Amino acid sequence: MTQLASSFARLFPLPRRQFQFPRWNPAIGTRSFSPSPVTFRAAQVSKKKNTIMATVNTKTGQVIDRTVLESMLRRRLFYTPSFEIYGGVSGLYDYGPPGCALINNIVDLWRKHFVLEEDMLEVDCTMLTPHEILKTSGHVEKFADWMCKDPKTGEIFRADHLVEEVLEARLKGDKEARGQKVVVDEEKEAKRKKKAKETKAVRLDDAVVKEYEETLAQIDNYDGPELEQIITKYDIRNPTTDGNLLPPVAFNLMFQTSIGPSSNMPGYLRPETAQGQFLNFQKLLDFNQQSMPFASASIGKSFRNEISPRAGLLRVREFLMAEIEHYVDPEGGKKHSRFQEMKDIELSLLSRDVQLSGSTQTTKMTIGKAIESGLVDNETLGYFLARIQLFLLKLGVDPAKLRFRQHMANEMAHYAADCWDAELQTSYGWIECVGCADRSAYDLTVHKNKTGAPLVVREPRVEPLKIEEWQVDLDKKKFGPRFKKDGKAVAAAVEALSQEFREKLALDLEQQGKIEVDVEGVGSGRVELDKELIKIEKRTRIENVREYTPNVIEPSFGIGRILYSTLEHVYWSREGDEARGVLSFPPAIAPTKVLIVPLSNHASFRPLSHRLMMKMRRMGISNRVDDSSASIGKRYARNDELGTPFGITVDFQSVKDDTFTLRDRDSTKQVRASEDEILQALKSLVEGDETWEDIRKRLPEFTGQEVD
Amino acid sequence: MTQLASSFARLFPLPRRQFQFPRWNPAIGTRSFSPSPVTFRAAQVSKKKNTIMATVNTKTGQVIDRTVLESMLRRRLFYTPSFEIYGGVSGLYDYGPPGCALINNIVDLWRKHFVLEEDMLEVDCTMLTPHEILKTSGHVEKFADWMCKDPKTGEIFRADHLVEEVLEARLKGDKEARGQKVVVDEEKEAKRKKKAKETKAVRLDDAVVKEYEETLAQIDNYDGPELEQIITKYDIRNPTTDGNLLPPVAFNLMFQTSIGPSSNMPGYLRPETAQGQFLNFQKLLDFNQQSMPFASASIGKSFRNEISPRAGLLRVREFLMAEIEHYVDPEGGKKHSRFQEMKDIELSLLSRDVQLSGSTQTTKMTIGKAIESGLVDNETLGYFLARIQLFLLKLGVDPAKLRFRQHMANEMAHYAADCWDAELQTSYGWIECVGCADRSAYDLTVHKNKTGAPLVVREPRVEPLKIEEWQVDLDKKKFGPRFKKDGKAVAAAVEALSQEFREKLALDLEQQGKIEVDVEGVGSGRVELDKELIKIEKRTRIENVREYTPNVIEPSFGIGRILYSTLEHVYWSREGDEARGVLSFPPAIAPTKVLIVPLSNHASFRPLSHRLMMKMRRMGISNRVDDSSASIGKRYARNDELGTPFGITVDFQSVKDDTFTLRDRDSTKQVRASEDEILQALKSLVEGDETWEDIRKRLPEFTGQEVD
């Protein structure tokens, strides 16, 4: 694996930048590899989720069969491979009507929960990004994976994936030869079988098995040269042809293009939305009338040119992100004014220390306690962790399958103060869906240094600051004639002298009437200055304005991953004559809120269905009429799979007295009441003011029809 | 100009595909140039909008000063050049908080007005698109502009723009020499002055003036070789250096990239969202339970690599589109079931014939009449024109500045049945903001032919169709041994025989016992078949299923252009001590609906402001508190520029009795009432149930404070 992808983020597209620069040190320019116990243990944790298909249960206690679920999701057009009639392109998916509605609803909820609730400044920046910006941010140099090419077939492999695949196959062959039971990810196995030769049941030396296992446990931590060593040492080849491979080379994961008609403006599709927000910092601060703290936010597509995408919606080349950049004063402990509202919220935390001990045991703790104890770095970071949890729970995420995992020291960028991922448990393992990092002043600083733009906050000091310091005066009139063209260089060298050195020079000047200063490239490199030219004095300077670069707390959401994980969390199947899938979306995010089902094709039902539809549309409740000829049971079954939470049946009684039955998707219980009461109940359910239990208690139950 | 951009669409990024293939004939492969009177007159119409800065008035009768407006929009961060601290990139803009809210509100309204109102199937397809798809659609070959390079400086010019710029400068010099008044677009002039040499006041021959004017009038219609002739004939050079230029070459306007690690999958950023919808047609038809007609819809970014973008937000390289593909049965006159609801809506129509006569006079006509008279091709197309108008008016578009312009025959693709643009009048001229075309079966057909995917509708016939036809039977057993490897070719040649020819052959076979058939590449090219091998008989075939390729009616919206044009339509300035800009957005799209203004910083106001804010937030009414120390007048002035329609003032009276004043942005009139009444009024205003006039009549007027 490369210096760019963290131990825990290897299987999936990275919504978070710090995943990509876990140990990147711009001072050194490259990471120093150290297969420390830390790295080893962290990698072991990560291995657990990647190699086997995790056994995860639905809320109703059934084991999730991912193949069945994914087939249902495709059949119902939640998503579909892009360009399928042209053969498709891996890592690219289109969202069909229910998937698209789901995304829109998640984004809408996100905007309400974050942007509107906290008056964040939402921006929409371009995806096309010139080279220079991503050079400054570090992406041009560091946003890469290692790949190997087969010179004969032209096939390209992601180096770490290849090593993993081959060694796992050998270990499996060894187990077979030893007559042990082999647990495999069926999907992965099917793919492997399709292209590779049959696994050979070959028994390996015990020592080799141990070596392979250790290598696999550390697979996330290898860089290119190390992967090359492993490939050579274990004679790893193209699994299909057995051909030798070329050594791994770095492959930048940004899609490159050229802006404008000449080829002199190379650009990329952005790998994240954050850079556009940073570049507009000064304008946003102005818009916010110079008031701190504040946050910007952005929702939009980003891109990552995966070498060989797999894992469905979790690892794609084009994905929707929602990112917040919350700017905070680095002084004063990064307090948050609304932290009190969050402090008693309990989170499942998986700390760095626990991971170091080789465990994945989470601790339940209020965010208030986590900050008191120093586990979470500061209030603002903690505030957002709690807010992220509240958001995910609104979507229907199962709290038992949500944890916050702290980044290991070697996962974080050197400048980051602390970083936590909200991870959701799925059949692919624990998936990081939201990153929340304290990135310190890094991003604004690099762009400020590169462009000279004042990406800083300037605020009047309540108490002016008095600074005692050694100041230097140069006699400009004599300075010019004396040094001529070297004047500027000499003056700059003097200006650059430290306070300490100035104090020493002041004494020398006092005692000897002259001093010597190093000035590179002028004369012998040492210049003499006498009392006529220079004066050095200790004075008091009053600073009325404080200037600082804000720190950034960055919650960053991978919407596609959240969507997929939520689908797994709300999925279950109804036991009955036949197993039927149900998606128990909360009403707020359900693609369609209400299904209107006329009992039959009878003409008298049509005006009633139409009236209900129009009334709900005006109330902003999305609904669909299904007047197909299928049985009521079949029509409801279809909508169980689409996750429609409520159904209204129009029957002969409705024609007589304008009463309707209202059905709850999850319990299949029904109530019957007047049109007004039913619509009022729906409004209340959809807006979250009442639950189905509330409605069932106050409206009469209906048991007349058999709809299953 | 190229074969790709229509006469009327040259200055701006094209939301519509048919603009780009005005006369493209895939049968011929290239357009045949004919500077007919038609072309000439159409171009003259278009010239009017492009060459001079149009004088347009606000609703209040003031002349719009675009420089002032655009400066206000940038100051208030509606939009800003992207990457400005890195020097910026032309044609790329970021939307700041008010612009972003405006876009979100427009998109939200669009979704309600179109997608929800008609149960359209919204999809979200990838922007990355492999080469093959855009080759099939014709974009790879035809989506291009002509550009000239200066071999010395490396500068690149869009050929038609260059000719235009140079000839216009010469005509201006001529006018100056003749002592005539020169009307210029100030912005354009300023740009020209910045880079070019001063215009020379040189008098031209009358004949030359006429030639230049004619060339300019036709500038949209020239292809590369013609532009080359013009450049040579009039000795057009680099305006800055006077250097000679290379001949024009075609420049494809798609951004190219490479998908995956090997370079064997070239791809592009999509130039439109339509292709993704077409490719998913079959799945969407399934999702719609095979029911026709239906529509898909998509909202997303598209890209166009402009050679030299100008005209601000109207011509950009990355833009938001909203497109509908409405699939309709080509038989039965393309009726629309809800047309009755639209038939009395009156539109301003600029027909093809009127344009041919050299006029731009629009006719007001109900869409019902327009279809009856044959002016608009069919009901479905007409239905959407009316729906488009209703949508634009909801945004605050000035009805006096909206027209529907029919495409000229030479602007449309050969396959299009009819096409109308909704154009909005701005200081840049009449801008096409929505295209609405009947594209016939073209798109589905090309993808079906290329991939073999069944992009068709199959429906049971109510009455089975009886078809009398000549059928051919071949005796396969004897056929193989007889023709060996040529068997297939011979059989195919026989299958391909027309009904007419089969009838004739049946007679020959009957009379002579044998026939001869042309089969290219087999023997002498003519093959003999006798009665033993072939039988030709007239029989009746019963067809129970009808299979057809639906036609597509495609309303396509350029959201950025609609946004900019709407900004011009709702802009005016308040006369007073100082001229102040106001954006009179309708509440539905206003970025913020309510400004809460405490009279002063007094501590007793804070809880009231906070309570109002929280209550409105819960009601879904976006609002902001401005408790800065600026005067109330200044705070309202800022929000006039942001287009906030309502303001609530919190004063000492509020603290006493919980009454508040509510201010209307446009009239600056105020009413005073209890908190509940004020919030109820706001809900009613924002949801469009009442107007300010309604509120003013039923709540007591307040004149106590002077807020200007």
Side-chain angles (χ1 to χ4, degrees), chain B residues 311-550:
Chain B
L313 289 188
L314 295 178
R315 190 171 199 79
V316 291
R317 285 173 166 152
E318 182 176 327
F319 47 93
L320 188 64
M321 297 181 85
E323 287 190 298
I324 294 164
E325 311 296 334
H326 180 94
Y327 301 102
V328 61
D329 189 336
E331 286 181 16
K334 303 184 186 176
K335 299 282 180 201
H336 195 288
S337 64
R338 293 178 69 178
F339 183 72
Q340 285 306 306
E341 297 172 36
M342 294 297 127
K343 76 174 191 335
D344 295 327
I345 288 177
E346 212 174 56
L347 309 179
S348 286
L349 300 173
L350 174 54
S351 73
R352 189 178 295 151
D353 290 344
V354 168
Q355 294 171 66
L356 271 175
S357 75
S359 162
T360 57
Q361 187 63 49
T362 58
T363 308
K364 289 221 170 203
M365 196 188 288
T366 66
I367 190 64
K369 287 247 167 64
I371 287 163
E372 255 173 54
S373 68
L375 177 55
V376 171
D377 186 76
N378 60 70
E379 269 192 10
T380 301
L381 188 63
Y383 174 81
F384 278 109
L385 294 183
R387 295 278 302 150
I388 289 165
Q389 169 158 308
L390 291 179
F391 170 70
L392 293 173
L393 296 181
K394 276 186 189 170
L395 300 182
V397 156
D398 181 350
K401 294 178 183 167
L402 163 62
R403 73 180 184 193
F404 287 86
R405 191 184 67 76
Q406 190 173 30
H407 275 210
M408 309 302 292
N410 66 359
E411 274 181 275
M412 290 198 299
H414 71 287
Y415 47 78
D418 195 6
C419 181
W420 293 78
D421 287 342
E423 296 188 333
L424 298 178
Q425 193 182 21
T426 73
S427 65
Y428 288 102
W430 283 95
I431 304 302
E432 57 274 28
C433 289
V434 187
C436 191
D438 180 335
R439 299 180 52 75
S440 75
Y442 177 75
D443 308 280
L444 293 180
T445 305
V446 293
H447 289 300
K448 184 182 70 176
N449 291 348
K450 178 72 186 174
T451 63
L455 304 182
V456 293
V457 175
R458 291 170 56 88
E459 58 182 29
R461 289 188 183 276
V462 184
E463 294 265 320
L465 194 68
K466 286 183 189 178
I467 303 162
E468 295 259 304
E469 62 181 13
W470 291 94
Q471 293 184 353
V472 175
D473 298 332
L474 298 175
D475 189 328
K476 294 278 160 81
K477 274 184 196 159
K478 292 176 186 157
F479 211 75
R482 169 75 195 283
F483 292 109
K484 300 202 173 76
K485 68 171 175 46
D486 295 330
K488 259 193 175 165
V490 177
V494 171
E495 275 304 318
L497 295 171
S498 70
Q499 284 292 317
E500 240 179 337
F501 203 62
R502 286 179 186 197
E503 185 172 0
K504 181 190 162 298
L505 288 179
L507 196 66
D508 291 354
L509 195 60
E510 178 73 34
Q511 294 175 343
Q512 301 156 22
K514 62 179 183 182
I515 53 172
E516 285 198 335
V517 176
D518 291 336
V519 188
E520 217 181 282
V522 175
S524 65
R526 238 178 133 68
V527 169
E528 198 182 274
L529 298 164
D530 59 34
K531 275 191 169 173
E532 294 224 322
L533 288 168
I534 191 166
K535 196 188 287 179
I536 306 179
E537 285 180 2
K538 188 158 200 173
R539 296 180 200 138
T540 302
R541 183 165 57 86
I542 309 290
E543 210 178 78
N544 290 303
V545 171
R546 176 176 163 237
E547 189 178 288
Y548 66 92
T549 303

Side-chain angles (χ1 to χ4, degrees), chain A residues 473-543:
Chain A
D473 298 331
L474 298 176
D475 189 326
K476 292 276 159 82
K477 275 184 195 160
K478 293 175 187 158
F479 211 74
R482 168 76 194 283
F483 293 108
K484 300 202 173 72
K485 69 171 174 48
D486 295 330
K488 259 194 175 165
V490 177
V494 171
E495 274 306 318
L497 295 170
S498 70
Q499 284 292 317
E500 240 179 337
F501 202 61
R502 286 179 186 197
E503 185 172 0
K504 181 188 163 300
L505 288 179
L507 197 67
D508 291 354
L509 195 60
E510 178 72 35
Q511 294 175 343
Q512 301 156 22
K514 61 177 187 184
I515 53 172
E516 285 197 336
V517 176
D518 291 336
V519 188
E520 217 182 280
V522 175
S524 65
R526 237 179 134 68
V527 168
E528 198 182 273
L529 299 163
D530 59 33
K531 273 191 169 170
E532 293 223 322
L533 288 168
I534 190 168
K535 197 190 284 180
I536 305 179
E537 285 182 1
K538 188 158 200 174
R539 298 184 199 135
T540 303
R541 181 165 58 86
I542 309 290
E543 210 178 78

Side-chain angles (χ1 to χ4, degrees), chain A residues 75-77 80-86 88-90 92-98 100-101 103-104 108 111-112 116-130 132-133 136-137 147 154 156 251 255-265 269-270 276 278-280 283-284 286-289 301 303 305-308 317-318 320 338 446-448 450-451 453 455 613-614 617 620 622-626 628 638 642 683, chain B residues 75-77 80-86 88-90 92-98 100-101 103-104 108 111-112 116-130 132-133 136-137 147 154 156 251 255-263 265 269-270 276 278-280 283-284 286-289 301 303 305-308 317-318 320 338 446-448 450-451 453 455 613-614 617 620 622-626 628 638 642 683:
Chain A
R75 183 159 34 86
R76 291 301 174 206
L77 218 48
T80 185
S82 304
F83 319 110
E84 202 170 27
I85 66 172
Y86 277 81
V89 177
S90 59
L92 293 180
Y93 292 91
D94 295 342
Y95 288 98
C100 197
I103 288 191
N104 291 341
D108 193 53
R111 195 172 266 135
K112 281 192 187 124
L116 296 185
E117 182 64 29
E118 310 197 18
D119 278 338
M120 292 175 177
L121 306 182
E122 189 179 343
V123 296
D124 181 19
C125 304
T126 61
M127 298 169 206
L128 289 164
T129 309
E132 209 182 347
I133 284 108
T136 305
S137 70
M147 65 174 187
I156 288 170
F251 172 67
F255 286 96
Q256 193 167 0
T257 190
S258 189
I259 303 172
S262 68
S263 50
N264 60 12
M265 196 190 279
L269 295 179
R270 67 179 175 198
F278 297 138
L279 299 185
N280 283 309
K283 291 172 189 170
L284 291 167
D286 282 348
F287 184 84
N288 208 44
Q289 300 173 295
K301 294 273 172 77
F303 301 83
N305 197 5
E306 292 293 340
I307 292 174
S308 52
R317 286 174 166 151
E318 181 176 328
L320 188 64
R338 293 178 68 178
V446 292
H447 289 299
K448 183 181 70 176
K450 178 73 187 174
T451 63
L455 304 182
M613 178 189 77
M614 294 306 286
R617 196 176 276 167
S622 75
N623 66 89
R624 280 185 91 93
V625 177
D626 185 349
S628 68
R638 177 170 189 270
L642 289 166
K683 185 173 158 61
Chain B
R75 182 160 34 85
R76 290 301 173 205
L77 218 48
T80 185
S82 304
F83 318 111
E84 203 171 25
I85 65 173
Y86 277 82
V89 177
S90 60
L92 293 179
Y93 292 91
D94 295 343
Y95 288 97
C100 197
I103 289 191
N104 291 341
D108 193 51
R111 194 173 267 135
K112 280 191 189 126
L116 296 186
E117 182 64 29
E118 310 196 19
D119 277 338
M120 292 176 178
L121 305 183
E122 188 179 343
V123 297
D124 181 19
C125 305
T126 61
M127 298 169 206
L128 289 164
T129 309
E132 210 183 347
I133 285 109
T136 304
S137 69
M147 65 174 186
I156 288 170
F251 172 68
F255 286 96
Q256 192 167 1
T257 190
S258 188
I259 303 172
S262 68
S263 49
M265 196 189 280
L269 296 178
R270 66 178 175 201
F278 297 138
L279 298 185
N280 283 309
K283 292 172 189 169
L284 291 167
D286 283 348
F287 184 84
N288 209 44
Q289 299 173 296
K301 295 273 171 79
F303 302 82
N305 196 6
E306 292 292 340
I307 293 173
S308 53
R317 285 173 166 152
E318 182 176 327
L320 188 64
R338 293 178 69 178
V446 293
H447 289 300
K448 184 182 70 176
K450 178 72 186 174
T451 63
L455 304 182
M613 178 189 77
M614 294 306 287
R617 195 176 276 166
S622 76
N623 66 89
R624 280 185 90 94
V625 178
D626 184 350
S628 69
R638 176 170 189 270
L642 288 166
K683 185 173 158 60

